[in-house]
Amino acid sequence: MITRAGGTPALPRSATVQQRLYWHNRTVPDAAGYAELLALEAAWPRAEADALAAAAPAFGSLDDLLDALEQRLRREENDPSPSERYLAEQATAAEFAYVAGQFAVDGLVESQSHLGVLPRLTPRARMAVMRVLIDEFGCGNEAQEHARLYEKLMVELGLSTDPFHHAARACEETLAYVNLFHWLASRAPTPDYFLGAYAYFESSVLYGFRCYAAACARLGIANGQYYDEHLHIDAFHSREMLAALRAWDREHGADLDRVWAGVELTSATIARATEAAVSRARAEAGR
């Protein structure tokens, strides 16, 4: 959506693993680039997803899995991490801006990584996911697209609106946050991983974004609508993703091990990204 004038910048010579994945995911790779993309994804996230699927509980039905998901969500909601508490209650304006810049690799291109899953789904599952994505893209209203809301936040914070600018500076953990969904949507062996991941994500945002909204209110940041919008609309998104899972199970038969692996992998990836972004923000501010 937002590109550098004159075209996409070249991949840095010293690019890290996650930077290489991000560039390949955000460009059209040649044969060598696509081969590298597949090789990198085999090491992560594929290897971690496979391990989590192998270790998944022996759920008897999708209902059993959804009960376990609900319990997991409630535990996380009731026990926010120290990093989330710090962001909500203590982070300075500079620290908040640093964290927002770290997550700009996702926010400035939000949900574009998800589009590859649509042709892989059965009809009713696809329509449920599509209803969520329609909201993510502002229902066709450019001013309300979530990526555009994030762009407004970047402008207020005095930061670049070029996602590649942020990708060249982002830590591995925050890049993994967006790279994960490219794999889940387009190259995971089945859509089960994506459906578990997105069902978890859309439910967890309802408490996960509270610390960001609280920080915006405390710091007087005017363009916090990006976070408020998620807290407002994601209850609907959560219901739709549960509907997508149920439709997929009826129409195709859900692989419960892979669905749960998507939940676990996404939860762990988000936690690692949040911890890394906040820790680095605090370290940078102390210099």
Side-chain angles (χ1 to χ4, degrees):
M1 187 200 81
I2 305 165
T3 58
R4 181 188 296 270
T8 301
L11 182 67
R13 290 182 180 275
S14 59
T16 64
V17 167
Q18 293 296 338
Q19 284 174 337
R20 300 189 79 82
L21 282 173
Y22 192 86
W23 253 259
H24 290 320
N25 281 321
R26 294 295 305 164
T27 60
V28 180
D30 57 17
Y34 194 70
E36 181 183 47
L37 171 63
L38 295 178
L40 291 173
E41 287 183 334
W44 188 90
R46 177 65 186 269
E48 187 174 353
D50 286 347
L52 290 169
F59 295 112
S61 66
L62 179 61
D63 284 338
D64 291 342
L65 184 151
L66 294 180
D67 286 344
L69 173 58
E70 177 65 20
Q71 293 172 24
R72 182 191 191 95
L73 291 165
R74 297 292 73 80
R75 287 196 302 270
E76 290 184 1
E77 180 178 16
N78 293 329
D79 188 25
S81 71
S83 291
E84 291 171 317
R85 291 194 183 98
Y86 182 84
L87 195 60
E89 300 169 6
Q90 301 179 56
T92 65
E95 288 170 338
F96 178 83
Y98 185 94
V99 172
Q102 283 289 309
F103 283 107
V105 292
D106 177 62
L108 289 172
V109 297
E110 182 157 329
S111 296
Q112 294 174 24
S113 61
H114 301 6
L115 296 173
V117 80
L118 293 175
R120 307 180 68 193
L121 296 172
T122 53
R124 287 185 173 82
R126 179 166 57 251
M127 289 302 97
V129 173
M130 191 65 191
R131 287 191 289 273
V132 176
L133 294 181
I134 285 171
D135 277 342
E136 301 289 347
F137 290 100
C139 298
N141 181 346
E142 181 181 351
Q144 294 303 314
E145 183 188 18
H146 288 184
R148 184 53 61 92
L149 297 179
Y150 209 90
E151 182 181 355
K152 292 178 181 177
L153 175 65
M154 292 290 98
V155 171
E156 180 179 354
L157 296 176
L159 300 175
S160 173
T161 59
D162 177 2
F164 286 105
H165 169 90
H166 294 285
R169 294 157 178 79
C171 62
E172 290 289 88
E173 292 87 352
T174 53
L175 287 165
Y177 177 79
V178 62
N179 287 334
L180 171 62
F181 273 95
H182 279 284
W183 178 79
L184 289 166
S186 298
R187 288 177 295 279
T190 72
D192 300 88
Y193 294 98
F194 176 92
L195 292 171
Y198 207 27
Y200 165 81
F201 178 78
E202 291 294 343
S203 297
S204 68
V205 164
L206 291 168
Y207 54 83
F209 271 20
R210 288 175 188 166
C211 61
Y212 296 94
C216 285
R218 178 174 56 81
L219 295 168
I221 295 170
N223 286 287
Q225 184 185 354
Y226 172 83
Y227 305 111
D228 294 336
E229 178 70 13
H230 283 80
L231 294 174
H232 169 71
I233 198 62
D234 279 9
F236 166 70
H237 290 181
S238 175
R239 291 194 297 271
E240 287 298 327
M241 285 312 304
L242 295 181
L245 265 172
R246 293 188 185 282
W248 176 254
D249 192 40
R250 289 193 304 270
E251 296 174 324
H252 182 274
D255 184 323
L256 300 182
D257 292 346
R258 288 174 166 176
V259 172
W260 190 251
V263 171
E264 294 270 21
L265 182 55
T266 304
S267 176
T269 302
I270 292 172
R272 292 191 290 253
T274 303
E275 177 63 26
V278 174
S279 295
R280 289 195 177 200
R282 297 179 70 175
E284 289 289 326
R287 291 183 178 180

